[in-house]
Amino acid sequence: AQKITQTQPGMFVQEKEAVTLDCTYDTSDQSYGLFWYKQPSSGEMIFLIYQGSYDEQNATEGRYSLNFQKARKSANLVISASQLGDSAMYFCAMREYSSASKIIFGSGTRLSIRP
Amino acid sequence: EPEVTQTPSHQVTQMGQEVILRCVPISNHLYFYWYRQILGQKVEFLVSFYNNEISEKSEIFDDQFSVERPDGSNFTLKIRSTKLEDSAMYFCASSVDRQNEKLFFGSGTQLSVL
């Protein structure tokens, strides 16, 4: 069974600092994908970054990078040089390619950026 | 950039009434999904749909729920007899294929059951 764990319900970070949001996952599949989505207070779900289980390089998208440690089954999101607009809920998610078509989400981390 | 469109943005209904939530997925996408998010909680998978049939559903998606792609562009979620606990944000999503790297989400329909 799929399982995504985000252990940080909330975080406060000073503007311009880097922040790491933790995510661990559990799967018996060899082939899977990991995702991060941002949900601002307006409610929409915004895709940030994706990492495939066979990707050797850590994914990066602008200020976002995914610290993928396959042996530890972790997929932490790193946001460099945080901005006030980064304040939002962040969800880690996973899709197992061998069987399920669905993406399963973690419980989320609420990130608040202090000016 | 193409986007998933959901209507209405807000829906208020009385308990026991039927509601239909509508979605227009991105035109070249083949997989369609419904998720829901109860206020302050995680995003929960309801159902996935491919080739005009349900490919997977969660335990939440019981007999009171149904999905349909009536005309090749719309994708609907029907809740037959709403309960108070159905109050949530309902998100439609689509992807090009099953292994595509991301789902594109609509902006959601906030359903309030009174």
Side-chain angles (χ1 to χ4, degrees):
Chain A
Q2 297 181 17
K3 187 177 178 183
I4 297 285
T5 303
Q6 295 181 252
T7 57
Q8 305 152 311
M11 288 187 72
F12 287 87
V13 171
Q14 203 68 33
E15 191 180 7
K16 298 179 186 171
E17 289 184 351
V19 57
T20 297
L21 305 182
D22 294 341
C23 173
T24 57
Y25 60 92
D26 185 25
T27 178
S28 54
D29 272 35
Q30 297 301 309
S31 181
Y32 51 89
L34 297 155
F35 309 77
W36 279 91
Y37 280 83
K38 173 183 178 181
Q39 187 179 42
S41 56
S42 51
E44 71 267 34
M45 295 288 287
I46 302 168
F47 167 78
L48 295 178
I49 197 165
Y50 162 83
Q51 178 88 40
S53 58
Y54 291 115
D55 293 340
E56 293 185 356
Q57 303 270 358
N58 283 345
T60 60
E61 290 281 353
R63 294 187 298 112
Y64 304 108
S65 59
L66 199 152
N67 184 3
F68 181 46
Q69 299 189 40
K70 193 170 182 176
R72 299 173 70 175
K73 292 188 175 178
S74 75
N76 297 340
L77 176 70
V78 180
I79 306 174
S80 63
S82 57
Q83 302 170 356
L84 295 178
D86 294 333
S87 294
M89 197 75 169
Y90 288 81
F91 291 99
C92 180
M94 179 174 70
R95 177 191 247 168
E96 291 172 332
Y97 292 153
S98 62
S99 56
S101 58
K102 64 181 181 281
I103 286 179
I104 296 294
F105 287 82
S107 55
T109 295
R110 182 167 297 283
L111 177 64
S112 300
I113 308 297
R114 291 194 182 109
Chain B
E1 185 176 326
E3 58 182 29
V4 176
T5 306
Q6 287 187 246
T7 54
S9 56
H10 293 85
Q11 175 96 41
V12 180
T13 190
Q14 295 289 326
M15 191 171 58
Q17 294 295 305
E18 175 184 285
V19 294
I20 298 176
L21 309 183
R22 302 181 191 281
C23 170
V24 179
I26 296 172
S27 61
N28 64 331
H29 286 191
L30 301 177
Y31 283 83
F32 314 116
Y33 308 82
W34 284 100
Y35 285 81
R36 80 172 185 190
Q37 185 181 32
I38 295 170
L39 184 63
Q41 298 185 26
K42 67 193 292 185
V43 180
E44 300 174 294
F45 169 76
L46 292 177
V47 65
S48 59
F49 191 87
Y50 170 72
N51 200 25
N52 285 318
E53 61 183 23
I54 291 173
S55 54
E56 192 167 4
K57 61 183 180 180
S58 72
E59 59 274 12
I60 301 169
F61 194 87
D62 61 22
D63 291 344
Q64 69 161 341
F65 290 93
S66 62
V67 289
E68 195 176 35
R69 188 155 162 81
D71 57 15
S73 62
N74 291 285
F75 179 52
T76 61
L77 174 69
K78 181 192 288 186
I79 309 175
R80 221 175 316 278
S81 176
T82 50
K83 304 174 203 167
L84 295 177
E85 54 264 36
D86 293 328
S87 294
M89 179 73 91
Y90 288 80
F91 289 103
C92 174
S94 68
S95 66
V96 173
D97 58 38
R98 197 175 87 170
Q99 298 197 5
N100 188 265
E101 67 267 21
K102 64 183 178 183
L103 301 187
F104 290 78
F105 280 84
S107 53
T109 293
Q110 181 65 54
L111 176 66
S112 298
V113 182
L114 305 179

